[in-house]
């Protein structure tokens, strides 16, 4: 029988191998271009907020006397590839394994399934706006400019003594820390915090609150702060309510030019730059100082995300010093770039003092992130001994 035109068993097996290989290559190709379930984060850009962008100041203060400064304050960022809707392609995930400082993160580790990229973008922009406003108010007040606001109770804390006498929508108008004497007018959250920082937890205070158009006096015992992740406890005490800030009055207006950057983590750098502009001289001399940290209305500096990426970006762009929110110091271990000094800060007031010390090359008494980590380990060891 003539076998011409017929394929042998060896030939057929060869074809099956080629077909299987082709299918496998096709699957790999599809996986490489389709979105994965991962994001990649890397060190982002830095921006000297004491400079201009397209000929315009990045931070401009209107209706106030301002002063030139030689200090460079670097806003630091994290570059993120992928969105809440979908991750990066498989090919990008693969290539990221070989990139220094690239961090691969599951999308759902950061964003819940029900959160869309549009929601994330709106939220980040709102946080940036809130951060800028708080930074402005804190800096204006620290520079000696008059500001005022309404501090309104929006939620009571069930187990706090204040919950028995305060009500939602009460506006704080005055505070007194002794049974007799005059009330101190409450004009700002920062001012209120300065009073409470000197009150021992559990001590009785007296408040004047505006309630439905009437001034009401109440008294109650304050609450203690809880220790943070480093084992540090804030001095003073708390009222024990959740508040919001309304009806802000200020003598000037700060305008920001930071397109494409969102989130609250630039607050402390903004506050330092505004304070520097409003006070004579260069706050940090001619130093190139980077940093990150949220700023609350009472001037406290809070933790941020992506600290090790921000450290790498700052070092890459020539910063000599970095202001780290103290509670982020625990995350810097093993990520300290050579030549970049890491200073721990818990408030904008403290950050100002750190910058002044850097300018004078007199940093011996400053708290480093290494100090915070060592103190934290000491607290954990002490706690372990007590628990035994």
């Amino acid at each position: 029988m003539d076998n011409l035109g017929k394929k042998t068993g060896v030939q057929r097996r060869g074809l099956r191998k080629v077909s299987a290989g082709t299918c496998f290559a096709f699957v790999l190709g599809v996986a490489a271009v389709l979105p994965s379930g991962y994001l990649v984060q890397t060190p982002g850009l830095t921006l000297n907020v004491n400079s201009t962008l397209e000929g315009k100041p990045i931070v401009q203060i209107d209706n106030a006397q301002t002063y030139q400064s030689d200090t460079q304050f670097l806003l630091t960022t994290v570059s993120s590839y992928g969105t809440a809707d979908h991750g990066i392609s498989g090919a990008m995930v693969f290539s990221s394994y070989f990139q220094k400082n690239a961090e691969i993160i599951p999308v759902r580790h950061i964003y819940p399934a029900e959160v869309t990229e549009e929601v994330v973008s709106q939220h980040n922009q709102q946080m940036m706006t809130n951060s800028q406003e708080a930074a402005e108010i804190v800096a204006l007040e620290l520079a000696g400019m008059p500001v005022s606001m309404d501090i309104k109770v929006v939620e009571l804390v069930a187990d706090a003594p204040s919950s028995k006498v305060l009500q939602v929508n009460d506006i704080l108008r005055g505070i007194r820390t002794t049974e007799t004497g005059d009330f101190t007018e409450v004009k700002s959250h920062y001012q209120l915090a300065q009073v409470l920082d000197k009150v021992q937890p559990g001590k009785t205070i007296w408040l004047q609150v505006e309630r439905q158009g009437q001034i009401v006096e109440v008294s109650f015992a304050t609450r203690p702060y809880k220790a943070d992740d480093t084992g540090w406890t804030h001095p003073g005490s708390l009222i024990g309510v959740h508040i919001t800030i309304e009806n802000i009055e200020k003598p000037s207006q700060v305008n920001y030019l930071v397109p494409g950057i969102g989130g609250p983590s630039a607050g402390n750098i903004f506050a330092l730059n505004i304070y520097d502009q409003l006070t004579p001289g260069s706050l940090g001399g001619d130093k190139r100082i980077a940093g990150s940290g949220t700023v609350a209305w009472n001037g406290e500096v809070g933790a941020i995300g992506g600290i090790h990426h921000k450290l790498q970006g700052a070092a890459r762009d020539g910063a000599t010093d970095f202001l780290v929110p103290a509670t982020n110091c625990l995350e810097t271990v093993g990520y300290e770039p050579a030549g970049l000094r890491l200073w721990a800060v818990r408030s904008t007031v403290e950050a100002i003092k750190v910058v002044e010390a850097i300018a004078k090359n007199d940093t011996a008494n400053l708290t480093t992130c290494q100090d915070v980590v060592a103190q934290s380990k000491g607290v954990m060891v002490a706690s372990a001994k007590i628990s035994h």
Side-chain angles (χ1 to χ4, degrees):
M1 188 174 180
D2 191 353
N3 287 324
L4 291 175
K6 294 185 179 179
K7 295 180 175 62
T8 65
V10 173
Q11 290 172 317
R12 286 193 295 270
R13 286 194 296 273
L15 285 171
R16 284 197 295 270
K17 289 180 180 178
V18 172
S19 298
T22 302
C23 290
F24 182 64
F26 176 76
V27 170
L28 284 179
V30 171
V33 299
L34 286 179
S36 70
Y38 296 92
L39 306 171
V40 169
Q41 292 185 342
T42 63
L45 62 81
T46 64
L47 184 65
N48 174 20
V49 297
N50 188 31
S51 64
T52 60
L53 191 62
E54 298 179 351
K56 298 179 180 179
I58 292 173
V59 180
Q60 179 172 321
I61 307 174
D62 296 329
N63 302 319
Q65 172 67 57
T66 58
Y67 303 87
Q68 293 292 321
S69 173
D70 295 324
T71 307
Q72 297 183 54
F73 288 110
L74 297 190
L75 177 158
T76 54
T77 66
V78 176
S79 290
S80 185
Y81 302 92
T83 70
D85 295 332
H86 54 74
I88 59 174
S89 68
M92 287 188 67
V93 173
F94 180 74
S95 66
S96 296
Y97 278 108
F98 305 98
Q99 295 179 21
K100 184 180 179 181
N101 298 325
E103 182 180 13
I104 302 170
I105 307 171
V107 173
R108 295 302 165 230
H109 182 74
I110 299 180
Y111 305 117
E114 65 275 11
V115 174
T116 66
E117 179 58 22
E118 182 180 1
V119 170
V120 171
S121 179
Q122 292 174 349
H123 181 62
N124 283 339
Q125 189 55 54
Q126 185 59 53
M127 287 194 297
M128 172 61 90
T129 300
N130 293 343
S131 176
Q132 291 170 341
E133 190 170 32
E136 174 185 357
I137 295 302
V138 168
L140 289 174
E141 191 159 11
L142 293 179
M145 302 185 72
V147 299
S148 66
M149 63 192 68
D150 287 346
I151 305 173
K152 179 185 287 188
V153 176
V154 293
E155 185 180 348
L156 303 176
V157 178
D159 61 345
S162 60
S163 67
K164 297 179 175 61
V165 294
L166 290 176
Q167 297 179 12
V168 172
N169 294 325
D170 281 351
I171 300 174
L172 309 188
R173 294 301 189 195
I175 184 170
R176 191 175 71 198
T177 59
T178 58
E179 190 168 359
T180 59
D182 296 329
F183 281 90
T184 298
E185 185 179 4
V186 175
K187 291 186 176 181
S188 72
H189 194 187
Y190 176 77
Q191 179 202 37
L192 175 63
Q194 295 303 293
V195 175
L196 290 172
D197 284 353
K198 298 178 176 64
V199 176
Q200 291 296 317
K203 189 176 183 295
T204 297
I205 63 171
W206 289 259
L207 290 183
Q208 286 180 328
V209 300
E210 182 179 335
R211 181 180 298 166
Q212 298 178 351
Q214 302 294 321
I215 296 297
V216 179
E217 294 185 12
V218 298
S219 63
F220 54 87
T222 59
R223 303 187 78 198
Y225 281 89
K226 293 181 179 179
D228 65 20
D229 292 342
T230 70
W232 179 81
T233 302
H234 195 293
S237 55
L238 295 164
I239 291 175
V241 294
H242 297 289
I243 64 167
T244 190
I245 303 300
E246 297 180 346
N247 301 324
I248 298 171
E249 294 186 5
K250 54 189 178 180
S252 60
Q253 175 65 42
V254 178
N255 298 300
Y256 301 87
L257 185 61
V258 283
I261 299 176
S265 62
N268 192 43
I269 283 293
F270 283 140
L272 288 169
N273 177 252
I274 295 167
Y275 177 85
D276 191 16
Q277 289 194 51
L278 292 172
T279 53
S282 300
L283 184 63
D286 60 356
K287 306 296 186 181
R288 192 171 178 83
I289 301 171
S292 194
T294 64
V295 170
W297 294 99
N298 61 358
E300 292 183 8
V301 173
I304 48 82
I307 183 64
H308 55 281
H309 292 307
K310 293 177 180 180
L311 295 178
Q312 296 298 327
R316 176 199 64 207
D317 292 344
T320 57
D321 299 86
F322 197 108
L323 307 186
V324 182
T327 49
N328 279 125
C329 282
L330 303 181
E331 303 172 58
T332 66
V333 177
Y335 294 98
E336 305 95 332
L340 185 66
R341 301 184 295 183
L342 311 186
W343 308 109
V345 296
R346 299 183 186 277
S347 70
T348 297
V349 169
E350 187 173 354
I352 290 171
K353 294 178 180 178
V354 170
V355 172
E356 290 175 333
I358 293 170
K360 298 174 183 176
N361 295 312
D362 183 19
T363 59
N365 295 321
L366 299 183
T367 302
T368 67
C369 266
Q370 289 182 336
D371 294 332
V372 172
V373 172
Q375 292 164 5
S376 176
K377 289 180 178 178
V379 170
M380 289 188 287
V381 169
S383 299
K385 289 180 179 178
I386 292 172
S387 67
H388 289 338

